[in-house]
């Protein structure tokens, strides 16, 4: 569709994203989510057609990464740069945060000329989301008191509960693969635990997936070995979502059985809820010996489920033997990145390029979150961009 | 006042900031300082009115931080970004400086396309300012010899002697709080040492404060426990300044007595001059045991002055019980960031938002230093910015 | 010459740089190299005349440094910034590369909105160039499969074989010093090993120099103590180049004799080929004890050749006693950066400023590599820049 028409259609979507942080997808309305998907895709098309959507002459996009990251870091930087913002990393090793500064104060100190703050904080259960709310509250106060000329918007780049930039990129990928959100109705999606030689992978990806994709009328099956539960509250949300959207939500305990007739499979390792609780306690206490012991026992437990690998045989049992394979990357690929992992090399290889496409939506999803947070009328601003038609590259 | 008028008034200020590094406020004329304050405030108003003062299409703003920093780092990045420069961090861990390169050479190597260099070097007594002069000399030579197309301006982001971006931001804050620089005449300002559970805090903040604020006819009282002297030469400057401006400068040894009837209080910990001298020697020798012993004895000494906390009782004794509390942040707040600190929690809380406002001027002060260093006729360039009226955000 | 004329003359150069990575100078045609030199110099003149060649409204220039670097890092950042790209550092310590990600995947993940990737990888013999080819292949696939909207160009910022941004900057320096490339014919250039108190310096600089400068009809003499060989294949390339260009290429084993009557001298330490092979093996095995032993024996071997210092006496024997001294910097200067080094302090001092000028071409060489990789018709785009005449600084 041409850009003019697409932008015009945007006007019909009644979203309420302006000046609202994007923390959890389940706090957002269907219109909000649709708006993000559409704006993301329009921004992508603009760039593909060499039109620059640079709407900031200056401004900072602060990033706070409390965990290592390649792809989210680059996605965030790309999104900020596309819109004209400069990334400024709040590196806690370089900064004074470690020296007893309060979140409240720091949040203001880094925000005087800041438009967006992206935060990744997924290490401690019960902490990441809470931390974002604390930052949000501090920014609200700073703005109210005239300390900050604008209220910077917060983008959740992964917390202990949700990973909305990932799940929204995944949703846009599905929309593209199946033609529309409508077409997702009745499709079977299996979010399955998978074996990995590491332990302690965050739950935010599977939680993000079931929390979001349950809203589109799909039959969601969450499969994991007994004991590998996710946060119960989020599972409840998924159940409710599924029901409300005319889909279903079931939990089962065999990857092999679950993937039968699936249209979409998402095999991915995570550490179970009760382990994450224990781990968080030990981390807070700084109990190294306890952490080592926990890791050992977890790895031993994991090792019982090495057959939770998505392989050729399992793939054959999916719908027409070719369910769409998804992954947030990097996957633990058997014989490639590890000896025994989440997915067989030959199986992964068939969908490798598709997982790259999947990941490629993330910069635009983040840009759309920034854009809709900052502009009350996204359609109007996008129209201006189109009219101005400034080249992204060249003159 | 509207921007056009403000900019017009600028023309009457005969400053000589063009192509001059900003290292120490006491090297600058009253007109120079007035120009910085005015340009900073105009840049702030421009941005608040969504007009972009981006005057560089490209160019680097190099930052050299030899000590950790959050707020100065972000202030510098914000200032550079506002004017269109990109921060490039000269991280000595990432670079070859440690491998025997001379300052002279490095200064040139990082400056081929650089417009500004911000330096923070406050660790070693007698080193920070000296280092900046060395860099300046190298840049002078490089420019003279045609190695550098421009002579990048140096902004002192804190040295062993002065912290001009802090003290100038503080001055702008005072100007706003009291209505004008004129109104500061006759006001009593107390720069007081305060207890902190850490030792070795730089003297550059109190030195910067007495070196600058003594120029505006105030009655400055510098209070500290006996033995906690600042660099004598800078105290002499403050005395001379005070006299010349029709104010006064006294030294006393009780926070409790000093703050009586004060209009403004600035309670802040620092390590005394003779300790800093000893510490610098030990640091240079790499004498870890010596440093540990010094720290221990200093902390024991400090502990004698835990009553040097600014609290409710002391505040009550100030002018009308509500002297303006100032701090460069982060403050050591009793029961918040430490057990016993520089200021009581309830006292700090009453002025917390004001300290945020105080800090909020720093990015603009730095931007003004960059701007006046780079443009011979700031009024003319500001007029062009206003006329062009390019939006900072939006299109 | 004025810019209009210079740009017009560009049209006659039939280069094939568009969409081609710049990895090794010996893969490039004479026209390719001429184009780079010319575009670099035109970009420099544009900036010197305060015209901004910013041709990207947004876009990332990724940098991957697998070794410390100051000057190349700043040169790369300056080049990217000049053209409008934002540097995003792929810091392996901050990223997940260490955790088993394949090059193929990462190359795509960092490239969704990326226009250029600069890579420095000179530590392991047989690895750096290979790594760049792997990245290139991954980008080719990503582009072909529609994952990447553009194919980012790769700029070799130093590998185990070549250091093209250095050697091209050196060539531009020589062109300026001698008036033209034509004038280099018949000149004697000595690339000589020199003593340094460190060991393990990469061979890419001397290899880059003999591989490139042998193409301009000079008499190249490569001098080193017996046993300090470079990679044989590259020496062969230099021999062939020299012959084809009407010059000569000889190898000798005395710095003292070699520099006699030289027009240009390039005294620089490196670790010999067979040592680098051994070292690479040990590094791969993580054999620390072996590495220590190797270092010890190498330093002992090096110490036999302390007279390989370029000093006043040797300089006197060069053409008219004033051969042009070159160095990639930082040099090991006797009594300045070390006790005994590559060059005597007084000798270096006479050419110090010239080595700064030499280094000053690097940002423009890199910018020219980016520019010619991205624009099919560089003359046309440079004309647009000139016509538009947007100020680099000011309004």
């Amino acid at each position: 569709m041409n850009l003019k028409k697409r932008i015009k259609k945007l006007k019909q979507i009644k979203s309420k994203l302006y000046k609202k942080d994007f923390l959890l997808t389940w706090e957002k309305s269907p219109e909000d989510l649709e708006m993000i998907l559409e704006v993301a895709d329009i921004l992508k098309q603009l760039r593909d057609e060499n039109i620059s959507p640079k709407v900031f002459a200056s401004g900072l996009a602060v990033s706070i990464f409390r965990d290592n990251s390649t792809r989210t870091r680059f996605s965030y930087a790309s999104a900020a740069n596309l819109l004209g913002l400069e990334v400024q990393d709040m590196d806690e090793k370089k900064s004074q945060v470690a020296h007893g500064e309060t979140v409240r104060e720091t949040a203001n100190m880094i925000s005087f000329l800041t438009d967006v703050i992206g935060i990744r904080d997924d290490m401690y259960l019960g902490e990441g989301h809470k931390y974002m709310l604390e930052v949000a509250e501090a920014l609200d106060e700073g703005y109210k008191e005239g300390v900050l000329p604008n209220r910077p918007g917060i983008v959740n780049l992964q917390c202990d509960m949700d990973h909305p930039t990932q799940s929204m990129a995944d949703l846009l990928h599905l929309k593209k693969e199946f033609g529309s959100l409508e077409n997702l109705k009745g499709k079977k999606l299996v979010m399955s635990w998978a074996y990995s030689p590491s332990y302690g992978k965050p739950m935010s990806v599977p939680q993000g997936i079931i929390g979001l994709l349950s809203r589109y009328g799909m039959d969601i099956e969450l499969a994991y070995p007994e004991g590998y539960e996710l946060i119960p509250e989020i599972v409840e949300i998924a159940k409710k979502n599924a029901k409300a959207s005319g889909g279903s939500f079931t939990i089962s305990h065999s990857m092999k059985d679950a993937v039968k007739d699936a249209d979409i499979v998402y095999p991915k390792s995570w550490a179970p809820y009760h382990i994450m609780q224990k781990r968080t306690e030990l981390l807070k206490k700084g109990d190294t010996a306890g952490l080592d012991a926990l890791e050992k026992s977890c790895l031993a437990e994991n090792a019982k489920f090495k057959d939770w690998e998505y392989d050729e045989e399992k793939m054959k049992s999916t719908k027409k033997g070719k369910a769409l394979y998804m992954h947030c990357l990097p996957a633990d690929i058997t014989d490639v990145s590890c000896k025994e992992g989440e997915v067989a090399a030959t199986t992964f290889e068939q969908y490798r390029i598709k997982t790259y496409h999947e990941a490629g939506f993330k910069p635009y999803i983040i840009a759309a979150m920034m854009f809709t947070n900052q502009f009350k009328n996204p359609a109007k601003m996008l129209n201006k961009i189109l009219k101005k038609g400034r080249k992204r590259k060249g003159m």
Side-chain angles (χ1 to χ4, degrees), chain A:
Chain A
M1 206 190 303
N2 86 18
L3 276 164
K4 219 171 158 181
K5 273 190 196 165
R6 294 190 74 172
I7 296 171
K8 204 174 170 186
K9 277 191 65 182
L10 262 195
K11 290 182 195 168
Q12 297 155 21
I13 308 174
K14 302 294 167 209
S15 63
K16 288 181 180 167
L17 294 158
Y18 183 55
K19 292 198 169 186
K20 297 278 192 300
D21 299 324
F22 205 110
L23 301 187
L24 305 168
T25 63
W26 42 88
E27 291 176 350
K28 299 297 176 188
S29 73
E31 290 77 21
D32 288 345
L33 303 177
E34 198 190 343
M35 178 62 95
I36 297 285
L37 294 184
E38 273 302 300
V39 171
D41 211 28
I42 289 168
L43 289 173
K44 188 172 188 308
Q45 195 178 337
L46 279 165
R47 197 192 185 278
D48 288 348
E49 296 184 11
N50 202 31
I51 299 169
S52 169
K54 191 171 185 168
V55 281
F56 294 93
S58 70
L60 299 187
V62 173
S63 64
I64 304 179
F65 280 85
R66 299 185 137 190
D67 196 0
N68 285 340
S69 162
T70 305
R71 62 205 72 246
T72 303
R73 188 179 286 278
F74 271 81
S75 289
Y76 185 73
S78 296
N81 173 260
L82 183 69
L83 301 181
L85 298 174
E86 190 173 340
V87 171
Q88 184 66 14
D89 201 32
M90 163 78 181
D91 185 342
E92 301 196 7
K93 280 157 288 176
K94 281 189 201 163
S95 81
Q96 297 176 327
V97 174
H99 307 133
E101 259 184 44
T102 60
V103 169
R104 191 165 65 168
E105 192 187 308
T106 310
N108 277 281
M109 294 303 117
I110 62 176
S111 297
F112 296 126
L113 288 91
T114 292
D115 295 292
V116 191
I117 300 180
I119 305 176
R120 177 171 207 160
D121 187 348
D122 59 356
M123 292 285 278
Y124 297 71
L125 199 65
E127 294 295 332
H129 181 60
K130 214 173 90 186
Y131 173 73
M132 292 179 200
L133 290 179
E134 263 183 78
V135 173
E137 204 185 335
L139 296 175
D140 284 341
E141 188 199 37
Y143 178 60
K144 202 192 85 192
E145 298 285 357
V147 171
L148 306 178
N150 326 291
R151 163 63 162 79
I154 302 177
V155 174
N156 173 7
L157 300 175
Q158 189 165 6
C159 71
D160 52 323
M161 298 175 71
D162 197 6
H163 193 347
T165 62
Q166 180 65 47
S167 63
M168 288 294 287
D170 290 343
L171 179 58
L172 186 48
H173 181 54
L174 285 176
K175 190 181 166 189
K176 296 272 180 180
E177 286 290 323
F178 289 86
S180 72
L181 293 181
E182 276 301 301
N183 290 349
L184 296 180
K185 277 191 180 160
K187 296 288 180 294
K188 179 179 177 184
L189 180 145
V190 178
M191 177 75 235
S192 175
W193 186 87
Y195 174 74
S196 155
S198 80
Y199 104 108
K201 294 204 174 175
M203 299 179 291
S204 50
V205 170
Q207 288 171 172
I209 290 299
I210 63 165
L212 176 64
L213 300 185
S214 54
R215 299 173 75 168
Y216 297 94
M218 286 193 271
D219 296 315
I220 309 273
E221 187 161 342
L222 175 66
Y224 52 78
E226 293 198 43
Y228 283 73
E229 277 85 12
L230 299 175
I231 298 180
E233 289 81 357
I234 298 173
V235 173
E236 282 313 304
I237 288 169
K239 281 181 189 169
K240 255 175 58 181
N241 282 347
K243 207 174 169 183
S245 73
S248 67
F249 182 86
T250 50
I251 293 177
S252 63
H253 301 297
S254 155
M255 186 198 271
K256 197 180 158 186
D257 293 344
V259 299
K260 277 177 192 157
D261 287 317
D263 296 280
I264 304 147
V265 295
Y266 207 130
K268 159 106 188 65
S269 179
W270 68 79
Y273 183 46
H274 66 276
I275 296 296
M276 284 307 232
Q277 285 178 309
K278 204 173 287 176
R279 189 165 166 256
T280 298
E281 272 169 53
L282 295 167
L283 277 167
K284 282 184 181 173
K285 278 193 253 170
D287 181 348
T288 320
L291 283 163
D292 286 351
L294 181 68
E295 182 170 5
K296 238 176 238 171
S297 76
C298 286
L299 289 177
E301 184 64 22
N302 280 3
K304 297 179 190 164
F305 306 105
K306 291 192 178 177
D307 56 327
W308 287 66
E309 180 206 49
Y310 188 65
D311 58 12
E312 292 298 293
E313 205 193 309
K314 293 194 187 73
M315 194 175 112
K316 265 182 207 154
S317 77
T318 66
K319 185 77 60 66
K320 295 180 188 171
K322 50 174 192 175
L324 179 68
Y325 168 85
M326 294 178 80
H327 200 282
C328 56
L329 301 180
D332 285 325
I333 309 160
T334 303
D335 291 329
V336 175
S337 45
C338 57
K339 225 182 111 192
E340 293 164 302
E342 298 169 316
V343 60
T346 52
T347 317
F348 181 77
E349 186 56 28
Q350 295 172 65
Y351 289 88
R352 183 172 57 84
I353 292 295
K354 292 227 171 182
T355 64
Y356 293 3
H357 278 285
E358 182 185 352
F361 292 115
K362 207 190 267 183
Y364 295 102
I365 288 290
I366 297 174
M369 289 177 179
M370 294 172 169
F371 197 91
T372 54
N373 175 281
Q374 293 285 312
F375 297 104
K376 201 171 180 175
N377 190 334
K380 198 175 156 190
M381 192 52 64
L382 287 166
N383 246 330
K384 282 191 185 180
I385 291 166
L386 188 63
K387 242 181 177 165
K388 198 152 191 176
R390 194 184 171 198
K391 283 187 186 171
R392 205 280 302 178
K393 175 180 159 183
M395 269 190 170

